[in-house]
């Protein structure tokens, strides 16, 4: 009994020491090219000479050429270290072909190989590169002409095991805000693996994260396998338990998506319904909606007005809707007889001493007065 | 204060719809009391606006307040004279006794649903935001309201793309604005949340006809927890509205197939009315939904065990109801050179393979947060219970789903509409139309599976 107790204490103690280290260690994939006998998965194109030597993959090229590896990295990568020796130094690009791209498409970033006869290391911080995707199936370099390089090692490091657990859970309840695309699709629960990725997740389209659905499907698949095994091995029908699992996952999913939808409404209340008109913001259109509603009053009983905004979509259509039945006209069209000019977010449009609107130092309107100054660059101008 | 016009304005269309349904049910009512009112609201809105449209294009009336009012009152008068008023209470399937955990779960989920519903009301009543609200549904309502006549080219010089859509949704908004006396964004949009609630309620009643209260509530909860359906229910788009009409048209055929004698004929008549009014909802209805529905009706007549009298009645009712809307509507479109696609004309589309469409569809269906776990639940249940799904009357719904989905795929894969799938702009809306059907089938199969245990 004492032996078992000692063993138990030893295991617990060892685990307590090992687990934090294991969890804290970053996940790394290394492509070593030193002291190997055979080059596998690498392809070259248009490089003058390529030899495998004990120090690494020696390349000498008089023309621009390509070195590429078939990649199958299974984890997230935010740092890439490239170890090399380059007697000539040189310029090139690092490229990758992200999932969904066609054969001819790649993303690329420029890189420099420092001239030196000793080992050098370049570290690429890929967390700052929005298009980087560790799941890319081709990764490589384009080397400029007259480059000599011995590529020794490439290592791809990602977040630790602990990050891989904590961040996906944290990200589960990270909500999107309503966008024009929200009527067509919702990204749903996503997984990220680092604080930086979490902070910038929705700042790009598509968001920088993996779908949580894969975890749900994995759980459902595991449940189904278990049901099958229990039936086969123990003649036990556990299909009800499986549907309880489905129900539990459904509720968790509903909690996530329902909360996101409630957050949409809360944002509307906070930024639109509870604010006075001049402080109202509406979703991702900021103050435009409040401006359009205020400016629309100046188009009453008019057929047309001139509308100029910083962007065509969505402002043109929205202004047209708010001011209907008055219709917008571009300032480049014939504006004769139109007295109302609605300008949104165009600080480059001002009035001159004659009272005309001026764009690129050219007068674009007859003389008039600003009747409503909403914010810098956004106003209603009525000709005299 | 403006919101008071919502119940007031919907009174006439709803009563007209209720009377229409009572009329076609005749001496064999098959709908639950509340079900008839709710279906009456949905179908009455189409029925009255279609009549208003006919008065306008024939020059008898216009889209003015008085003309719209008179048209509805005349309809009401005609229907009131014709519809039988005798009420027959219907029996429902008895519920199993409630267990404590069921009560607690139902209470929690009801509170959760209420929170989402209130959020939906806030979300929908804000300023116009989504593209088609601004360029189609509400803009046309504004045009009809301001000009008091049918305008096909709402923005001069921009063509009649959106003008090719049926006017039902926009005209209902026009009617509400006439009552209010000015354009009110929240009032114009509020009707959409009622269509969403109608979808939930009508699904509940349809399920209740087949199973216990607990199971019917479960199915209703499932529909309420489909994320993109909630967004559509809380947005001024026509797709949730269309989904309710499709559900009525299909589920009533299903109940006709599972009923006998007078009840069967009652459901056939109801289904025919819904199919006819389906034409006047959205453009897709003619191209995507009526053809599979016709296949199903023909299939039902061939292998559905209908008597000669039932076959004759089915053909007569469907022929009359669909023709009554389809022929005038198509004639009107042809006369005005209006497109037959989804605002984009299908006649000029060239065929060529477009890469990436299937991937985009897969992404939207399985990897985004649009549908909760409904796709895997539905496909899993259809596979596990394939006999029930394809070799019972349920094939009316499963068959319709697969015909529409498979029918849509070539449109996205081979025509210039592929961009709607790649950009995920059009594809999901096509699925939204089918979601109540998918939930109905899933719940029926799930309940059947549980019963077999």
């Amino acid at each position: 009994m004492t032996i078992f107790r000692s063993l138990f204490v030893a295991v617990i103690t060892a685990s307590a020491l090992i687990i934090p280290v294991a969890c804290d260690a970053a996940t790394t994939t290394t492509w070593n090219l030193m002291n190997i006998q055979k080059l596998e998965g690498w392809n070259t194109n248009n490089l003058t000479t390529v030899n495998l030597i004990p120090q690494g993959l020696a390349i000498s090229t008089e023309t621009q050429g390509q070195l590429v590896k078939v990649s199958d990295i299974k984890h997230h990568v935010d740092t890439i270290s490239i170890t090399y020796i380059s007697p000539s130094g040189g310029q090139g690009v690092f490229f990758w072909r992200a999932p969904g791209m066609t054969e001819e498409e790649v993303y690329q970033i420029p890189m420099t190989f420092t001239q030196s006869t000793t080992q050098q290391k370049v570290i690429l911080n890929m967390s700052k590169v929005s298009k980087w995707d560790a799941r890319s199936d081709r990764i490589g370099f384009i080397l400029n002409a007259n480059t000599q390089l011995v590529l020794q090692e490439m290592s791809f490091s990602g977040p630790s095991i602990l990050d891989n657990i904590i961040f996906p859970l944290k990200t589960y309840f990270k909500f999107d805000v309503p966008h024009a695309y929200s009527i067509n699709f919702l990204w749903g629960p996503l997984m990220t693996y680092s604080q930086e990725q979490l902070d910038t997740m929705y700042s790009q389209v598509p968001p920088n994260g993996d779908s949580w659905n894969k975890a749900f499907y994995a759980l459902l698949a595991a449940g189904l396998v278990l049901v099958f095994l229990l039936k086969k091995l123990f003649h036990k029908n556990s299909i009800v338990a499986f549907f309880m699992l489905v129900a539990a996952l459904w509720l968790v999913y509903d909690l996530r998506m329902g909360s996101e939808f409630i957050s949409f409404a809360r944002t509307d209340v906070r930024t639109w319904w509870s604010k006075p008109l001049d402080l109202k913001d509406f979703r991702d259109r900021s103050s435009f909606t409040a401006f359009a509603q205020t400016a629309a009053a100046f188009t009453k009983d008019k057929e047309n007005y001139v509308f100029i905004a910083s962007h065509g979509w969505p402002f043109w259509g929205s202004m047209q809707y708010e001011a209907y039945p008055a219709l917008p006209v571009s300032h480049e069209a014939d504006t004769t007889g139109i007295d109302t000019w609605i300008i949104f977010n165009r600080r480059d449009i001002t009035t001159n001493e004659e009272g005309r609107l001026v764009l690129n130092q050219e007068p674009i309107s007859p003389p008039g007065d600003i009747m409503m100054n909403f914010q810098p660059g956004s106003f209603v101008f009525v000709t005299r | 204060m403006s919101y008071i016009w919502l119940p007031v304005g919907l009174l006439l269309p709803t009563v007209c719809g209720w009377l229409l349904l009572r009329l076609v049910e005749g001496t064999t009512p098959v709908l639950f009391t509340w079900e008839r009112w709710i279906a009456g609201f949905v179908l009455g809105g189409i029925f009255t606006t279609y009549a208003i449209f006919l008065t306008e294009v024939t020059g008898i009336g216009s889209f003015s307040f008085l003309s719209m009012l008179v048209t509805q009152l005349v309809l009401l008068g005609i229907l009131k004279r014709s519809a039988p008023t005798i009420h027959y209470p219907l029996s429902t399937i008895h519920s199993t006794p409630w267990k404590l955990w069921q009560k607690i779960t139902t209470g929690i989920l009801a509170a959760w649903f209420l929170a989402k519903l209130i959020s939906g009301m806030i979300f929908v009543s804000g300023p116009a935001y989504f593209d088609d609200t601004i360029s189609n549904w509400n803009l046309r309502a504004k045009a009809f309201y301001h000009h008091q006549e049918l305008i096909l080219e709402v923005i001069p010089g921009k063509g009649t793309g959106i003008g090719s859509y049926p006017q039902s949704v926009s005209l209902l908004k026009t009617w509400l604005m006439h009552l209010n006396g000015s354009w009110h964004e929240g009032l114009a949009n509020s009707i959409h949340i009622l269509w969403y609630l109608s979808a939930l309620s009508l699904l509940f009643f349809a399920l209740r006809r087949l199973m216990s209260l607990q199971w019917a509530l479960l199915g209703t909860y499932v529909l309420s927890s489909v994320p993109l359906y909630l967004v559509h229910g809380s947005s001024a788009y026509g797709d949730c509205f269309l989904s309710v009409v499709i559900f009525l048209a299909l589920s009533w055929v299903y109940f006709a197939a599972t009923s006998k004698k007078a009840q069967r004929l009652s459901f056939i008549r109801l289904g025919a009315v819904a199919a006819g009014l389906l034409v006047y909802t959205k453009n897709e209805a003619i191209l995507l939904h009526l053809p599979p529905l016709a296949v199903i009706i023909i299939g039902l007549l061939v292998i559905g065990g209908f008597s000669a009298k039932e076959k004759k009645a089915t053909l007569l009712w469907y022929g009359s109801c669909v023709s009554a809307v389809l022929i005038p509507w198509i004639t009107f479109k042809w006369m005005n050179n209006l497109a037959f696609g989804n605002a984009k004309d299908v006649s000029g589309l060239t065929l060529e393979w477009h890469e990436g469409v299937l991937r985009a569809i897969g992404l939207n269906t399985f990897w985004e947060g649009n549908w909760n776990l409904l796709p895997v639940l539905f496909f899993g249940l259809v596979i596990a219970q394939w006999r029930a799904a394809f070799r019972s009357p349920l094939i009316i719904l499963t068959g319709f789903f697969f015909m529409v989905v498979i029918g849509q795929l070539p449109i996205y894969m081979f025509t210039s509409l592929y961009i709607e799938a790649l950009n995920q702009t059009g594809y999901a809306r096509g699925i939204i139309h089918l979601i109540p059907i998918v939930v109905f089938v899933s719940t029926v199969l799930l309940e059947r599976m549980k019963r077999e245990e």
Side-chain angles (χ1 to χ4, degrees):
Chain A
M1 205 54 192
T2 315
I3 294 168
F4 282 119
R5 193 179 299 148
S6 304
L7 195 63
F8 179 72
V9 170
V11 167
I12 291 293
T13 311
S15 303
L17 291 170
I18 292 165
I19 287 171
V21 176
C23 288
D24 202 33
T27 312
T28 302
T29 296
T30 302
W31 297 345
N32 177 40
L33 292 157
M34 291 183 288
N35 300 312
I36 58 168
Q37 303 300 316
K38 199 177 166 194
L39 194 62
E40 282 183 358
W42 290 86
N43 288 307
T44 62
N45 185 23
N46 214 29
L47 296 172
T48 312
T49 58
V50 180
N51 294 308
L52 198 55
I53 59 174
Q55 291 82 4
L57 186 67
I59 301 159
S60 177
T61 183
E62 289 159 13
T63 54
Q64 190 185 58
Q66 195 184 72
L67 174 67
V68 61
K69 185 173 179 353
V70 177
S71 175
D72 188 25
I73 297 169
K74 300 283 190 198
H75 57 87
H76 275 261
V77 171
D78 51 29
T79 306
I80 301 175
S81 304
I82 301 161
T83 311
Y84 65 93
I85 301 166
S86 180
S88 65
Q91 301 288 319
V93 295
F94 173 76
F95 70 84
W96 62 96
R97 190 172 76 189
M101 297 179 87
T102 62
E103 196 71 35
E104 296 79 26
E105 294 175 325
V106 288
Y107 289 119
Q108 59 184 46
I109 52 171
M111 65 177 298
T112 305
F113 296 103
T114 309
Q115 183 185 3
S116 172
T117 50
T118 58
Q119 192 180 64
Q120 301 291 311
K121 186 179 270 192
V122 60
I123 294 175
L124 305 174
N125 182 359
M126 302 308 282
S127 65
K128 303 285 183 194
V129 182
S130 62
K131 300 294 182 190
W132 165 246
D133 194 323
R135 296 168 299 172
S136 298
D137 63 353
R138 296 286 187 284
I139 292 175
F141 304 97
I142 293 172
L143 303 175
N144 284 355
N146 304 315
T147 303
Q148 289 177 309
L149 178 77
V150 180
L151 185 63
Q152 298 187 308
E153 187 183 274
M154 291 178 73
S155 73
F156 303 80
S157 304
S160 67
I161 296 168
L162 196 61
D163 285 346
N164 279 323
I165 296 166
I166 287 174
F167 280 101
L169 292 173
K170 267 188 175 178
T171 323
Y172 187 81
F173 280 101
K174 170 98 172 169
F175 303 139
D176 196 5
V177 292
H179 290 282
Y181 61 66
S182 306
I183 194 72
N184 297 319
F185 58 88
L186 305 161
W187 295 119
L190 297 170
M191 290 183 182
T192 60
Y193 309 93
S194 68
Q195 190 61 48
E196 276 178 334
Q197 203 188 348
L198 176 62
D199 293 342
T200 59
M201 191 170 72
Y202 289 117
S203 63
Q204 54 183 292
V205 176
N208 185 16
D210 292 335
S211 172
W212 251 96
N213 287 21
K214 68 179 179 185
F216 285 99
Y217 296 155
L219 280 169
L220 289 176
L224 265 186
V225 170
L226 204 62
V227 168
F228 179 76
L229 289 177
L230 285 171
K231 179 105 178 170
K232 277 278 169 203
L233 301 176
F234 303 103
H235 303 290
K236 192 177 173 185
N237 195 344
S238 48
I239 195 74
V240 173
F242 173 73
F243 278 107
M244 294 302 285
L245 172 70
V246 175
L249 296 181
W250 189 285
L251 288 169
V252 171
Y253 212 113
D254 183 27
L255 189 65
R256 160 64 176 75
M257 298 308 292
S259 302
E260 180 173 87
F261 185 72
I262 291 168
S263 79
F264 288 0
R266 282 184 61 192
T267 307
D268 278 4
V269 170
R270 206 177 58 246
T271 62
W272 180 263
W273 293 109
S274 63
K275 298 280 184 193
L277 191 63
D278 52 343
L279 293 178
K280 279 181 189 290
D281 281 335
F282 194 60
R283 300 179 192 167
D284 57 357
R285 293 191 189 157
S286 187
S287 61
F288 172 75
T289 308
F291 169 77
Q293 291 188 350
T294 314
F298 290 86
T299 66
K300 198 165 182 251
D301 300 326
K302 290 174 184 172
E303 265 187 45
N304 296 105
Y305 56 92
V306 180
F307 180 57
I308 310 174
S310 52
H311 302 90
W313 183 88
F315 299 142
W316 185 274
S318 297
M319 191 67 232
Q320 178 177 271
Y321 175 77
E322 293 295 345
Y324 193 89
L327 296 172
V329 169
S330 163
H331 74 283
E332 286 152 352
D334 181 12
T335 60
T336 315
I338 302 174
D339 64 359
T340 306
W341 292 58
I342 297 175
I343 317 294
F344 180 73
N345 200 24
R346 290 295 297 262
R347 291 183 186 220
D348 55 337
I349 297 178
T350 53
T351 51
N352 64 10
E353 63 282 358
E354 289 178 341
R356 294 172 191 271
L357 289 176
V358 176
L359 173 64
N360 297 330
Q361 287 143 10
E362 291 289 323
I364 56 169
S365 77
D369 301 292
I370 291 177
M371 304 303 286
M372 192 268 287
N373 207 342
F374 191 78
Q375 60 193 29
S378 303
F379 54 90
V380 176
F381 175 87
V382 178
T383 58
R384 290 170 196 150
Chain B
M1 185 56 198
S2 294
Y3 288 101
I4 192 72
W5 297 114
L6 182 67
V8 173
L10 294 179
L11 195 64
L12 275 175
T14 305
V15 173
C16 284
W18 187 92
L19 287 169
L20 177 70
L21 296 180
R22 251 334 260 113
L23 178 67
V24 296
E25 281 177 298
T27 52
T28 317
V30 286
L31 300 178
F32 297 119
T33 306
W34 277 103
E35 185 182 26
R36 190 180 299 111
W37 278 111
I38 295 163
F41 153 66
V42 175
L43 298 180
I46 311 169
F47 182 55
T48 51
T49 50
Y50 178 60
I52 291 165
F53 159 76
L54 287 180
T55 63
E56 214 280 347
V57 295
T58 52
I60 299 167
S62 70
F63 291 169
S64 68
F65 169 73
L66 195 63
S67 183
M68 290 178 91
L69 176 67
V70 169
T71 307
Q72 291 178 83
L73 287 174
V74 170
L75 276 182
L76 183 71
I78 295 168
L79 290 166
K80 185 81 182 72
R81 271 171 178 273
S82 319
T85 50
I86 311 156
H87 179 68
Y88 300 83
L90 293 178
S91 60
T92 55
I93 292 185
H94 291 296
S95 283
T96 46
W98 285 80
K99 291 169 185 156
L100 183 63
W101 71 266
Q102 289 175 333
K103 286 182 184 173
I104 294 168
T105 310
T106 306
I108 293 169
L109 291 180
W112 175 238
F113 168 69
L114 198 62
K116 289 192 286 186
L117 186 67
I118 292 167
S119 301
M121 288 172 179
I122 294 167
F123 192 74
V124 79
S125 52
Y129 177 75
F130 291 119
D131 285 349
D132 287 2
T133 305
I134 285 165
S135 65
N136 183 358
W137 304 109
N138 284 16
L139 184 67
R140 283 195 303 150
K142 264 192 178 183
F144 299 156
Y145 171 67
H146 283 290
H147 300 289
Q148 307 202 357
E149 62 179 352
L150 179 56
I151 293 176
L152 295 176
E153 197 177 63
V154 179
I155 306 297
K158 294 289 178 190
T160 54
I162 55 158
S164 69
Y165 269 80
Q167 294 82 14
S168 52
V169 171
S170 299
L171 269 180
L172 271 172
K173 292 170 186 244
T174 304
W175 167 240
L176 293 174
M177 294 312 117
H178 275 314
L179 289 168
N180 187 52
S182 63
W183 185 265
H184 187 282
E185 200 62 44
L187 178 63
N189 296 342
S190 54
I191 194 166
H192 292 273
I193 205 96
L194 293 183
W195 282 321
Y196 175 69
L197 287 172
S198 302
L200 296 175
S201 315
L202 292 168
L203 175 78
F204 169 80
F205 286 119
L207 290 172
R208 191 71 186 92
R209 203 167 269 121
L210 300 172
M211 53 191 75
S212 70
L213 180 62
Q214 288 93 327
W215 274 101
L217 283 172
L218 177 70
T220 311
Y221 162 71
V222 168
L223 182 59
S224 79
S225 55
V226 176
L228 198 63
Y229 198 72
L230 173 62
V231 171
H232 270 264
S234 315
S235 304
Y237 268 46
D239 301 287
C240 179
F241 162 67
L242 174 58
S243 77
V244 189
V245 186
I246 292 172
F247 178 71
L248 286 178
L250 260 290
S251 62
W252 284 341
V253 178
Y254 170 76
F255 288 119
T258 52
S259 307
K260 296 280 175 218
K261 297 177 182 171
Q263 284 199 338
R264 168 176 284 182
L265 284 173
S266 224
F267 274 119
I268 282 293
R269 291 191 295 268
L270 286 168
V273 167
L277 293 172
L278 183 63
V279 174
Y280 197 62
T281 51
K282 272 194 89 186
N283 272 347
E284 295 95 307
I286 298 177
L287 288 173
L288 290 174
H289 305 126
L290 267 193
L293 184 59
V295 170
I296 282 166
I297 298 297
I298 292 165
L300 199 61
L301 293 181
V302 176
I303 55 168
F306 277 37
S307 67
K309 186 188 159 198
E310 287 167 346
K311 284 179 184 175
K312 201 172 148 188
T314 305
L315 282 174
L316 197 68
W317 271 91
Y318 271 91
S320 315
C321 290
V322 174
S323 305
V325 187
L326 191 65
I327 293 173
W329 177 241
I330 285 186
T331 308
F332 171 78
K333 287 184 96 165
W334 257 319
M335 285 171 68
N336 290 283
N337 200 24
L338 299 177
F340 277 87
N342 175 16
K344 292 186 181 90
D345 200 346
V346 288
S347 58
L349 298 178
T350 50
L351 297 181
E352 89 185 273
W353 166 253
H354 295 287
E355 207 177 315
V357 168
L358 289 176
R359 189 180 163 274
I361 287 173
L363 194 71
N364 188 289
T365 310
F366 294 108
W367 300 106
E368 289 174 357
N370 306 318
W371 319 108
N372 200 324
L373 300 172
L374 190 60
V376 283
L377 181 71
F378 174 70
F379 288 119
L381 285 166
V382 165
I383 293 165
Q385 297 266 308
W386 67 272
R387 277 179 204 277
F390 293 107
R391 296 184 70 176
S392 78
L394 210 56
I395 193 177
I396 289 166
L397 298 146
T398 42
F400 181 84
F401 172 83
F402 283 106
M403 273 191 274
V404 174
V405 168
I406 293 167
Q408 282 184 37
L409 287 181
I411 296 175
Y412 292 126
M413 287 191 295
F414 297 110
T415 75
S416 60
L417 289 177
Y418 77 98
I419 204 75
E420 302 245 347
L422 280 191
N423 293 344
Q424 298 195 40
T425 48
Y427 168 73
R429 291 183 214 168
I431 301 300
I432 287 285
H433 303 155
L434 306 172
I435 287 296
I437 288 175
V438 170
V439 174
F440 181 86
V441 171
S442 303
T443 313
V444 170
L445 292 177
L446 199 59
E447 195 262 355
R448 193 173 178 278
M449 213 165 176
K450 177 74 177 70
R451 248 189 303 121
E452 284 175 356
E453 274 299 306

